[in-house]
Amino acid sequence: MPHDIRLIAVDMDGTLLDGEGNVPAPLWELLPRLAERGVAFVPASGRQLATLQRSFGEAAGEMTFIAENGAYVVSAGVEVSSDTIDLEVVERVVGHLRGLGERGYDLGVVLCGKRSAYIERSDAAFRRQAETYYAALEVVDDVLAADDEVLKIAIYDFAVAEESVARALDEVAETHRVVVSGRHWVDIMNLDVDKGAALRRLQTALEVTPAQTAAFGDYLNDLEMLDAADWSYAMREAHPEVVARARYRAPSNLDHGVLTTIDELFPDA
């Protein structure tokens, strides 16, 4: 089957990463082979840019990343696009989340800036979750005092987020994008921010079409990204809405499904 794929956008958790949360070792041999063919391999994640760069080590310097669910796109260390939240909105949303905490919701809030991420809650259980996704992380007395441009507000819900805090954000969702990005995570961004919008901007910058784009995802924050790629893949354990939206299926991340599918798309890579 002839292909002309030039861009591969890949979610991280539940998609590319293995069961221990690591980049699968065979990827390091695949990346230069894709580059030789003129194919851009682009991690697209709710994770922070610094965390993505840490995951890809020495290879990160020349890579393109869609970070913070599309709010921040950087290529070879240079910003391609960003979409920051107005301070007034940040103050209103953080105030609402603090109120939910007072009402019994067990939440941890991460203010995601360009330079770093910021948290007020410092107990070990929450810090362990935050440190997994935010390599640049500061514990502060008041996240609203952080001197940074805010790309996203992330919420860790110790309950199931889709059934808990996500349902308490209807008013926020009237003006901003509220997306369940994992079993326990919800992200709040500007209304026009998502991985798909970021991927489309990147397609324009690289002069790549949707027909030349493959995308892999497993959760609700991947839906728009899959829509932007003709070669859209849902992982085997993907959320039912993702399975319904994607055109194709990929094996489990536990079986290196992204890599085996790329091998099928590029048998001579």
Side-chain angles (χ1 to χ4, degrees), residues 51-183:
T51 308
L52 293 172
Q53 291 171 328
R54 179 181 65 184
S55 295
F56 287 89
E58 294 181 0
E62 299 302 318
M63 292 178 66
T64 298
F65 296 98
I66 296 174
E68 306 286 13
N69 271 329
Y72 201 26
V73 181
V74 171
S75 182
V78 178
E79 179 177 316
V80 175
S81 64
S82 64
D83 200 324
T84 58
I85 305 175
D86 289 343
L87 180 58
E88 180 275 329
V89 174
V90 173
E91 292 174 346
R92 175 166 56 87
V93 172
V94 170
H96 178 63
L97 293 170
R98 287 170 173 167
L100 291 177
E102 293 171 358
R103 288 164 48 191
Y105 287 77
D106 193 3
L107 309 175
V109 177
V110 185
L111 203 67
C112 308
K114 284 188 177 182
R115 291 189 295 100
S116 181
Y118 307 90
I119 58 174
E120 298 171 349
R121 181 170 172 172
S122 59
D123 59 282
F126 173 60
R127 285 194 63 170
R128 183 164 54 250
Q129 298 299 330
E131 288 169 353
T132 298
Y133 298 98
Y134 298 94
L137 182 68
E138 296 182 22
V139 180
V140 296
D141 293 332
D142 180 1
V143 293
L144 295 178
D147 183 17
D148 205 343
E149 296 178 84
V150 178
L151 298 160
K152 184 184 75 179
I153 300 169
I155 308 148
Y156 184 85
D157 190 339
F158 282 86
V160 177
E162 193 172 1
E163 302 169 358
S164 180
V165 69
R167 297 181 178 179
L169 296 172
D170 288 347
E171 184 175 339
V172 177
E174 291 177 2
T175 58
H176 287 73
R177 181 172 296 277
V178 177
V179 60
V180 179
S181 57
R183 181 173 174 81

Side-chain angles (χ1 to χ4, degrees), residues 5 16 24 31 34 44 57 61 74 85 90 132 137 190 201 204 217 223 232 249 258 264:
I5 295 173
L16 177 65
L31 286 177
L34 290 174
V74 171
I85 305 175
V90 173
T132 298
L137 182 68
N190 284 337
R201 287 194 295 270
T204 298
L223 290 172
S232 57
R249 307 290 174 267
V258 169
E264 293 172 0

Side-chain angles (χ1 to χ4, degrees), residues 3 13 23 33 72 83 165 184 199 215 230 234 245 256 268:
H3 315 307
D13 297 279
V23 174
R33 298 205 306 269
Y72 201 26
D83 200 324
V165 69
H184 297 284
L199 181 55
D230 284 7
R245 196 92 143 236
H256 298 176
D268 57 339

